[in-house]
Amino acid sequence: MNIVVREAAIEDAQLIAHLTRACWTDKVAATSSGHHESSERVCNDLMQGGGFILLLDDEPVGSVRWLPLDTENNCWEMLRMGVLPAFRGSTLSQHLLEAVIHAAQTSGVEELRLGVRSDQPRLLDLYAAFEFELAPELEYSHANPNEPAPHVMRRFLRN
């Protein structure tokens, strides 16, 4: 099994939009905007921030993105991390998480944030294993106003 995480390029926007929708199918509530992910939105996210694609034996099986927060210096917000259903349970998502953490540290970013949907509390333990902590005082800037607010988690980085 050959696992590669590569940086996403603008040309990957359609692939990432497809991966996001496929990762959300039967996993995330139907009201999530991830089910309607567009290549235009992904392209915009990649231009403002960045992303990674997870490859397993050269097959794209997951992705993640991040955006710098306008209101906080040296802080990135992670979004839309997912692994295709057929490849879950093999700790593949940790490769995406580690890639973002490393990219942030290399870029001098001091903090990473992410939102965990209120209907997916099992993910809190996954992120806690990577030193993310609940931050109830924070709001997730990409929250869907038509859904319950997600749990915000943060990790301070030591460069």
Side-chain angles (χ1 to χ4, degrees):
M1 181 163 66
N2 183 30
I3 299 169
V4 173
V5 177
R6 72 166 174 83
E7 192 166 351
I10 299 300
E11 297 78 28
D12 294 314
Q14 187 172 358
L15 169 63
I16 293 172
H18 168 74
L19 282 169
T20 301
R21 291 188 306 269
C23 290
W24 262 231
T25 300
D26 297 328
K27 190 65 173 177
V28 179
T31 55
S32 171
S33 59
H35 292 290
H36 309 286
E37 192 69 279
S38 69
S39 56
E40 293 80 15
R41 174 173 175 181
V42 174
C43 185
N44 187 53
D45 288 352
L46 293 174
M47 287 190 301
Q48 292 181 35
F52 287 107
I53 297 172
L54 174 67
L55 303 158
L56 181 62
D57 296 328
D58 296 323
E59 180 183 350
V61 299
S63 65
V64 65
R65 283 175 273 160
W66 70 87
L67 291 169
L69 277 179
D70 294 334
T71 57
E72 303 277 339
N73 288 334
N74 295 316
C75 183
W76 287 355
E77 202 167 59
M78 294 172 51
L79 58 150
R80 302 282 205 236
M81 187 170 81
V83 173
L84 293 173
F87 301 94
R88 292 189 186 127
S90 302
T91 65
L92 291 174
S93 60
Q94 79 180 35
H95 298 283
L96 291 168
L97 267 171
E98 290 169 352
V100 175
I101 291 166
H102 177 73
Q105 289 172 322
T106 302
S107 299
V109 170
E110 297 173 359
E111 181 182 346
L112 286 173
R113 293 183 189 170
L114 55 84
V116 176
R117 291 179 55 89
S118 61
D119 59 358
Q120 295 193 332
R122 61 180 178 63
L123 293 176
L124 297 172
D125 290 336
L126 166 71
Y127 296 120
F130 285 87
E131 301 178 37
F132 283 85
E133 298 177 348
L134 282 171
E137 71 279 10
L138 298 175
E139 290 185 24
Y140 187 62
S141 68
H142 296 95
N144 183 338
N146 300 318
E147 296 188 337
H151 301 284
V152 176
M153 297 186 83
R154 69 175 359 155
R155 175 179 169 170
F156 292 105
L157 303 172
R158 298 161 216 23
N159 295 317

